[in-house]
Amino acid sequence: VHLQDALDVKASQPSYNAVKKTQIDSVERLVIDARKVEPGVRVFRLEGFFTPVIIDSALAEEMEAEGFEGPSFEDPDEFSF
Protein backbone atom coordinates (compact mmCIF):
# COMPACT_ATOMS: atom_id res chain seq x y z
CA VAL A 1 0.00 0.00 0.00
CA HIS A 2 1.42 3.37 -1.02
CA LEU A 3 2.09 6.09 1.53
CA GLN A 4 0.83 9.50 0.48
CA ASP A 5 1.44 12.86 2.16
CA ALA A 6 -2.09 13.96 1.32
CA LEU A 7 -3.72 14.77 4.66
CA ASP A 8 -4.98 18.35 4.82
CA VAL A 9 -3.48 18.93 8.26
CA LYS A 10 -5.11 22.28 8.92
CA ALA A 11 -8.62 21.08 8.03
CA SER A 12 -8.21 17.66 9.70
CA GLN A 13 -7.06 19.04 13.08
CA PRO A 14 -4.93 16.03 14.04
CA SER A 15 -3.87 14.94 17.53
CA TYR A 16 -0.26 13.77 17.57
CA ASN A 17 1.27 10.90 19.51
CA ALA A 18 2.89 11.99 22.78
CA VAL A 19 6.01 9.88 22.19
CA LYS A 20 6.40 9.92 18.41
CA LYS A 21 5.60 13.55 17.64
CA THR A 22 5.16 13.04 13.88
CA GLN A 23 2.63 10.20 14.25
CA ILE A 24 -1.04 11.15 14.17
CA ASP A 25 -3.26 9.30 16.63
CA SER A 26 -6.61 10.80 15.58
CA VAL A 27 -8.23 13.55 13.55
CA GLU A 28 -11.27 15.72 14.18
CA ARG A 29 -12.27 15.36 10.53
CA LEU A 30 -10.56 13.36 7.79
CA VAL A 31 -9.77 15.74 4.93
CA ILE A 32 -7.64 14.50 2.05
CA ASP A 33 -6.00 16.85 -0.44
CA ALA A 34 -6.57 14.89 -3.65
CA ARG A 35 -4.03 17.08 -5.48
CA LYS A 36 -1.29 15.51 -3.33
CA VAL A 37 -2.18 11.91 -4.24
CA GLU A 38 0.07 10.50 -6.96
CA PRO A 39 -1.77 9.90 -10.25
CA GLY A 40 -3.07 6.36 -10.61
CA VAL A 41 -2.87 5.52 -6.89
CA ARG A 42 -6.22 4.04 -5.84
CA VAL A 43 -5.30 2.49 -2.48
CA PHE A 44 -3.03 4.18 0.06
CA ARG A 45 -2.31 5.06 3.65
CA LEU A 46 -1.65 8.57 4.83
CA GLU A 47 1.90 9.44 5.80
CA GLY A 48 1.99 9.81 9.58
CA PHE A 49 -1.59 8.50 10.09
CA PHE A 50 -1.53 4.80 9.43
CA THR A 51 -4.91 3.69 10.76
CA PRO A 52 -7.21 4.22 7.77
CA VAL A 53 -6.56 2.63 4.41
CA ILE A 54 -7.87 5.06 1.82
CA ILE A 55 -9.54 3.52 -1.24
CA ASP A 56 -10.67 5.43 -4.31
CA SER A 57 -14.47 5.65 -4.24
CA ALA A 58 -14.83 4.16 -7.72
CA LEU A 59 -12.70 1.17 -6.68
CA ALA A 60 -14.76 0.75 -3.50
CA GLU A 61 -17.95 0.71 -5.58
CA GLU A 62 -16.43 -1.88 -7.93
CA MET A 63 -15.45 -4.06 -4.97
CA GLU A 64 -18.92 -3.84 -3.43
CA ALA A 65 -20.56 -4.63 -6.79
CA GLU A 66 -18.39 -7.76 -7.09
CA GLY A 67 -19.42 -8.91 -3.60
CA PHE A 68 -16.07 -8.52 -1.84
CA GLU A 69 -16.36 -9.45 1.82
CA GLY A 70 -14.26 -8.15 4.68
CA PRO A 71 -13.58 -4.50 4.02
CA SER A 72 -16.06 -1.84 5.02
CA PHE A 73 -16.11 1.55 3.37
CA GLU A 74 -16.80 4.91 5.00
CA ASP A 75 -17.20 8.29 3.42
CA PRO A 76 -14.31 10.51 4.63
CA ASP A 77 -16.87 13.03 5.90
CA GLU A 78 -18.23 10.35 8.24
CA PHE A 79 -14.89 8.91 9.38
CA SER A 80 -14.06 9.18 13.07
CA PHE A 81 -11.16 7.79 15.00
Side-chain angles (χ1 to χ4, degrees):
V1 176
H2 297 275
L3 282 179
Q4 300 290 303
D5 187 15
L7 182 70
D8 183 329
V9 176
K10 185 175 180 180
S12 295
Q13 300 177 351
S15 295
Y16 289 91
N17 186 282
V19 176
K20 191 171 182 181
K21 305 290 186 194
T22 59
Q23 182 176 321
I24 297 170
D25 285 338
S26 63
V27 293
E28 287 296 317
R29 182 169 175 241
L30 182 61
V31 180
I32 298 165
D33 185 344
R35 297 170 300 171
K36 294 182 177 180
V37 178
E38 294 174 35
V41 173
R42 298 180 75 189
V43 179
F44 63 92
R45 288 185 187 269
L46 293 164
E47 202 167 287
F49 188 35
F50 306 114
T51 302
V53 174
I54 311 299
I55 299 175
D56 174 78
S57 60
L59 177 58
E61 289 173 9
E62 290 171 26
M63 292 172 70
E64 287 179 326
E66 291 296 322
F68 275 69
E69 293 185 20
S72 62
F73 304 105
E74 287 183 54
D75 187 296
D77 290 335
E78 298 171 8
F79 176 82
S80 63
F81 184 82

